[in-house]
């Protein structure tokens, strides 16, 4: 059974940084799709960044150049380094895992409980 536990959320001013971490159990990181999703109030949950099996990383256009996703296969953790944060980055951030579909897509099937990120202007 896959379990994902996020930590590291909080409140920060615009331009600041936060690092989120996800403790992963029940799956080998190198064999699974791993990602960070976020959901702003009143909006749908969208993917911010993910790692495809083999290490290929992909970012949403809105976070490119500001966020970095990284996984430590030995520690079984998935991190999201967020820099130059903007008020529109505010939301609940979720760690997710899934399996590959085709050569570059993922199907997501497990979610953590989420951690809140609030960016003030």
């Amino acid at each position: 059974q896959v379990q994902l536990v996020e930590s590291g959320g909080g409140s920060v001013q615009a331009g600041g940084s936060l690092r989120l971490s996800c403790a992963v159990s029940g799956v080998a990181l190198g064999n699974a799709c791993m990602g960070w999703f976020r959901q702003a109030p009143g909006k749908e949950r969208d993917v911010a960044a993910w790692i495809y099996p083999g290490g290929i990383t992909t970012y949403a256009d809105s976070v490119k150049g500001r966020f970095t996703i990284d996984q430590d296969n030995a520690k079984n953790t998935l991190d999201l380094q967020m820099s130059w944060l903007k008020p529109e980055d505010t939301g609940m951030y979720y760690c997710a895992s899934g399996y590959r579909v085709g050569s570059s897509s993922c199907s997501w099937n497990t979610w953590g409980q989420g951690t809140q990120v609030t960016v003030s202007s």
Side-chain angles (χ1 to χ4, degrees), residues 16 26 46 56 71 118:
D46 291 324
I56 298 173
Q71 65 186 28
T118 302

Side-chain angles (χ1 to χ4, degrees), residues 2 4 27 32-33 37 95-100 106-112:
V2 179
L4 308 172
V27 65
C33 289
F37 286 67
C95 178
S97 69
Y99 54 91
R100 71 178 76 191
C106 298
S107 178
W108 306 97
N109 56 13
T110 304
W111 307 86

